[in-house]
Amino acid sequence: MPELPEVETVLRGLGPAMDGASFAHVIVRRPNLRFPFPERFAERLSGARVLAMRRRAKFITVALSTGEVLVLHLGMSGRFTVDTHNISVSPGTFYHDTGAAHTHDHVVFIMSNGSTITYNDPRRFGFMTLLGPGEQESYPHFAGLGIEPLGNAFHAQALDRLFSGKKAPMKAVLLDQRVIAGLGNIYVCEALHRAQISPERAAGTISGRGARKVALRERLATAIRDVLTEAIAAGGSSLKDYAQTDGALGYFQHTFRVYDREGEPCPSPGCDGVIRRAVHSGRSSWWCARCQT
DNA sequence: CTTACACCCTGCTCGC
DNA sequence: TGCGAGCAGGGTGTAA
């Protein structure tokens, strides 16, 4: 799930249930996810009203009436399930009465509007925390974040500066959250294929002057923006499904051109290459060595 | 400054 | 049918 488009989709899915509502009851079923929950996590949330919800890279931030900010990260396997069908059920009893708890349901938010929001995370690489006023700037997870790939400042010229002098391969640089914040393994593979750039190519080689380099940067910037935008659009269309009890996502994988497609023919028009797989920076890459150079 | 790798944790798939 | 190996969309910390 959780690369930028999935986080954006989750944010939009949570909005109707959370935004403007208060936390009526918070159930925390274990002391930690990836990191320990902050002190008195449930108590500090209880009664707080949600003023605004935003995405930053792969984080969701929830501004609260208490002045604190709830920070959510889904890690590898985190997911939220929203149930809005229980408005008449009194908070606090619903969850236990249904007996619907799944094995890795670690946190449950019961909102004042009757929505029940359940966080499930088998691998527990996700985390939640609360930041006080002014703590966002110094929060270590936010401090080093790179440029937002869907922001106005993201364009070919920005890539010129970001890649300048970098000897590391494109794959590693694009995955580095300190350079561009929000890309993950899937969309890096997909964007590189669309831009016909090899994941093994040194990032610095598309920086600098020259019509060819400028064209490559523009292709890559466009590819990144397009693949994220299309994925969000596809996720948005599945929001109705997402909001239902079994929040199975899985909308965009049918449109992957290379991800997890080892051995299949390259989908680029006119290319007769075959998708291959190799491990780069500890993560699998899929690409066409014929048209991606 | 790199880059590589182990690690966090559980579940699923695949080959034997 | 069972069982171990390998792999998974995240990020961090360490060592070289």
Side-chain angles (χ1 to χ4, degrees):
Chain A
M1 262 176 285
E3 293 186 38
L4 186 154
E6 290 72 27
V7 176
E8 182 70 30
T9 300
V10 169
L11 173 68
R12 295 179 187 186
L14 290 177
M18 282 183 96
D19 209 354
S22 300
F23 290 87
H25 190 47
V26 176
I27 300 167
V28 181
R29 320 194 72 193
R30 48 174 303 122
N32 64 301
L33 293 170
R34 167 154 195 167
F35 306 116
F37 286 99
E39 293 290 318
R40 300 176 48 252
F41 179 68
E43 291 87 336
R44 286 156 70 183
L45 281 176
S46 294
R49 193 164 64 84
V50 173
L51 304 181
M53 303 177 67
R54 288 192 163 64
R55 179 189 59 75
R56 183 165 180 187
K58 298 171 192 170
F59 295 83
I60 290 171
T61 62
V62 182
L64 303 171
S65 57
T66 57
E68 294 195 297
V69 173
L70 171 64
V71 177
L72 309 170
H73 194 290
L74 302 169
M76 291 273 261
S77 57
R79 63 203 267 166
F80 282 99
T81 304
V82 178
D83 191 335
T84 55
H85 300 291
N86 301 283
I87 292 176
S88 62
V89 179
S90 63
T93 59
F94 160 73
Y95 184 79
H96 300 291
D97 285 355
T98 64
H102 293 93
T103 308
H104 301 292
D105 287 353
H106 304 308
V107 180
V108 182
F109 300 133
I110 296 162
M111 308 305 291
S112 59
N113 58 16
S115 298
T116 298
I117 300 163
T118 302
Y119 180 73
N120 181 285
D121 188 355
R123 294 175 73 181
R124 302 204 305 273
F125 288 175
F127 55 89
M128 301 183 183
T129 196
L130 281 164
L131 301 179
E135 280 184 337
Q136 278 195 82
E137 286 68 29
S138 58
Y139 184 51
H141 288 103
F142 291 165
L145 284 180
I147 191 170
E148 274 286 337
L150 293 181
N152 291 332
F154 184 81
H155 39 57
Q157 271 186 303
L159 293 185
D160 185 28
R161 177 178 50 83
L162 291 171
F163 293 167
S164 176
K166 283 224 171 7
K167 292 175 183 167
M170 292 291 336
K171 179 66 186 289
V173 172
L174 292 178
L175 278 177
D176 189 340
Q177 301 298 298
R178 297 167 300 181
V179 180
I180 300 171
L183 297 181
N185 202 33
I186 291 177
Y187 297 109
V188 168
C189 291
E190 293 296 312
L192 285 172
H193 180 262
R194 288 179 183 221
Q196 298 191 304
I197 296 171
S198 168
E200 297 179 336
R201 179 182 188 134
T205 64
I206 71 167
S207 181
R209 295 176 175 279
R212 174 70 182 158
K213 292 178 175 181
V214 171
L216 283 171
R217 291 201 292 272
E218 285 176 353
R219 249 165 44 187
L220 182 58
T222 300
I224 289 172
R225 197 179 273 279
D226 284 355
V227 75
L228 295 177
T229 303
E230 288 172 28
I232 291 171
S237 69
S238 75
L239 275 184
K240 215 168 64 174
D241 290 327
Y242 167 76
Q244 285 166 4
T245 44
D246 178 284
L249 297 170
Y251 36 88
F252 196 64
Q253 58 263 59
H254 304 297
T255 68
F256 294 159
R257 298 186 190 175
V258 292
Y259 181 82
D260 203 20
R261 292 191 181 277
E262 183 180 14
E264 296 185 24
C266 175
S268 293
C271 179
D272 61 356
V274 172
I275 304 306
R276 51 178 292 203
R277 172 185 175 274
V279 175
H280 297 135
S281 306
R283 313 292 292 275
S284 287
S285 293
W286 288 267
W287 81 106
C288 171
R290 184 173 298 262
C291 69
Q292 292 180 247
T293 58

